[in-house]
Amino acid sequence: MAIDLASKIPLALENSINNLAKNVTLPAYLSEEKKADLTAQIKVLLKSLNAQMVAHYYVDADLQALTEETGGKVADSLEMANFGAQSSADILVVCGVKFMGETAKMLSPEKTILMPDIDATCSLDEGCPADEFQAFCQQYPGHKVVVYANTSVAVKAIADWVVTSGNALEIVTHLKEQGEKIIWGPDRHLGSWIQAETDIEMILWQGQCIVHDEFQVYELEALKAANPEAKVLVHPESPAEVVALADVVGSTRVMIESVQNMPDKSFIVATDNGIFWKMQQLAPQKKLIVAPTGGKDGHCISCAHCPWMAMNGLQNLHDCLENMTGQIKIEEPIRLKALESVNKMLDFSRQKGLIAKPMA
Ligand code: 13P
Ligand code: SF4
């Protein structure tokens, strides 16, 4: 049964998040020569510092390629957390957004966690202030608080469970089997999709991802009609009407596996277009079409590319390693509290085979 009591997040907060997104400082253009020079220097720094890169599918292709070349991991947020926790490096350089760096620090307090730009945030994190979320939760006693990984440490410390799009369905199904009722935050679209899939009672916080919220249903219908052979892959942070047009709904990992494993030759992809690098690497013969964000109701704040993921570049990656800048720090009491729900998620995911088990 769907219970959707909250209204949208306040307009002032939404406007300030949109302004933040529009005013990010993106890495400057680099010539091929400069890129090669920086890449060589980064490789030397990584080796001499016993540092390893962990990158999200949405960051710049050069960073994803360098991560793999140097023995790091390009992954979704769930596998990034898992890989970082198991890494024997002294330093992890997290190329992604801040909650990913914070999760790495929560799991490996002994490691130095660096980020090329520590201001790389996420609209879901920004749209869910911990004090307001706590007050919201207090209105509904007797519910389990389930939060998406795209949140601050303080919000995770309030939660009973942390989930990612790679395990949310399984974890919520598990809670349903236990007879629990759920408060869900912050992504309203992902929450609605899970609610529809599991038919569990859920109270939804009304946050949104500025990238996925922009996919346009009318224009997607037109694109589908123009490409009838293409399968439509949609990330569940997208609006329900867009999800309804999908052949496959799933996390970034599921979308990549679909391109790789489905027999179809072309795909319309409704998620951040940074994911195309990995899709093309694994399935070079497939045709990928970006789902529309512009059109009748489009405002294209992101144009299918997360502005905060785009803050990661070769120059600031180099600089954070050279100067030890962009370090993630978390106060110990809150780290320990938030860690409980993150560890619960990882243990559950390992048991269910959703991520690799720790090496013996
Ligand atoms: P994943 O958990 O699928 O990596 O997605 C994270 C994210 O930020 C999606 O927008
Ligand atoms: Fe956050 Fe959306 Fe960017 Fe993912 S794509 S980091 S959910 S703003």
Side-chain angles (χ1 to χ4, degrees):
M1 189 206 358
I3 298 189
D4 190 349
L5 298 177
S7 58
K8 273 191 84 172
I9 58 169
L11 194 58
L13 181 55
E14 194 179 329
N15 285 340
S16 82
I17 294 169
N18 288 346
N19 280 337
L20 207 59
K22 280 189 254 173
N23 292 318
V24 297
T25 309
L26 293 175
Y29 168 81
L30 298 174
S31 66
E32 289 307 313
E33 198 184 348
K34 181 72 182 162
K35 280 189 192 177
D37 179 36
L38 283 170
T39 303
Q41 290 185 49
I42 291 164
K43 285 181 181 168
V44 172
L45 284 164
L46 287 170
K47 208 166 189 169
S48 64
L49 293 166
N50 188 27
Q52 205 163 30
M53 291 174 69
V54 191
H56 193 266
Y57 295 127
Y58 294 168
V59 298
D60 184 83
D62 290 332
L63 297 188
Q64 294 191 50
L66 182 57
T67 302
E68 293 196 339
E69 236 185 284
T70 55
K73 184 83 181 167
V74 179
D76 65 359
S77 60
L78 179 60
E79 196 54 52
M80 284 173 80
N82 189 41
F83 179 85
Q86 294 181 35
S87 165
S88 59
D90 296 319
I91 299 174
L92 292 177
V93 196
V94 178
C95 298
V97 294
K98 196 168 177 189
F99 81 84
M100 296 169 176
E102 288 176 341
T103 304
K105 187 68 184 173
M106 267 185 257
L107 290 161
S108 305
E110 75 292 352
K111 292 182 187 132
T112 300
I113 309 294
L114 303 177
M115 296 199 68
D117 193 327
I118 205 157
D119 290 331
T121 185
C122 164
S123 60
L124 291 168
D125 188 347
E126 294 294 326
C128 189
D131 50 351
E132 289 176 34
F133 186 64
Q134 182 149 39
F136 176 73
C137 294
Q138 280 164 354
Q139 294 176 58
Y140 309 105
H143 287 67
K144 288 285 177 210
V145 178
V146 181
V147 303
Y148 199 30
N150 302 37
T151 45
S152 64
V153 184
V155 166
K156 289 187 176 79
I158 297 167
D160 297 297
W161 283 85
V162 171
V163 300
T164 74
S165 54
N167 56 25
L169 259 187
E170 288 83 354
I171 289 177
V172 169
T173 301
H174 165 75
L175 291 173
K176 186 183 175 189
E177 283 161 9
Q178 313 248 304
E180 303 288 2
K181 293 180 288 182
I182 288 178
I183 295 172
W184 169 274
D187 190 277
R188 63 196 172 113
H189 296 312
L190 181 61
S192 300
W193 178 67
I194 296 203
Q195 206 167 41
E197 292 289 306
T198 60
D199 196 27
I200 190 172
E201 188 176 320
M202 271 166 91
I203 293 163
L204 304 179
W205 182 263
Q206 295 291 302
Q208 66 202 29
C209 160
I210 58 157
V211 180
H212 294 89
D213 193 52
E214 284 190 331
F215 289 114
Q216 301 294 318
V217 66
Y218 175 78
E219 287 74 10
L220 180 55
E221 273 169 349
L223 192 62
K224 251 171 89 105
N227 297 274
E229 74 296 346
K231 288 284 180 274
V232 179
L233 310 179
V234 176
H235 193 285
E237 287 170 16
S238 311
E241 312 80 59
V242 172
V243 167
L245 296 177
D247 295 294
V248 177
V249 185
S251 66
T252 46
R253 183 175 63 85
V254 167
M255 296 171 95
I256 290 165
E257 286 172 358
S258 302
V259 170
Q260 204 182 359
N261 300 331
M262 285 169 70
D264 308 271
K265 294 204 168 28
S266 56
F267 295 87
I268 297 172
V269 181
T271 194
D272 183 299
N273 59 30
I275 204 169
F276 284 18
W277 184 80
K278 180 51 83 182
M279 288 175 168
Q280 274 159 357
Q281 181 199 47
L282 295 175
Q285 72 286 11
K286 305 277 173 100
K287 180 178 167 192
L288 305 173
I289 306 164
V290 66
T293 51
K296 192 164 65 70
D297 299 315
H299 35 81
C300 213
I301 292 168
S302 80
C303 300
H305 192 41
C306 176
W308 297 296
M309 292 281 183
M311 290 168 92
N312 295 271
L314 284 172
Q315 183 69 61
N316 52 15
L317 166 61
H318 167 274
D319 296 351
C320 82
L321 278 163
E322 189 169 73
N323 307 320
M324 288 291 124
T325 47
Q327 284 196 38
I328 300 283
K329 308 247 188 227
I330 307 174
E331 298 288 332
E332 193 58 2
I334 195 160
R335 184 188 76 81
L336 289 173
K337 186 76 199 68
L339 185 63
E340 289 171 27
S341 47
V342 172
N343 268 335
K344 220 190 302 182
M345 167 186 83
L346 288 178
D347 289 345
F348 180 94
S349 303
R350 285 179 190 129
Q351 275 165 26
K352 296 281 176 192
L354 299 169
I355 47 172
K357 295 211 162 100
M359 278 170 275

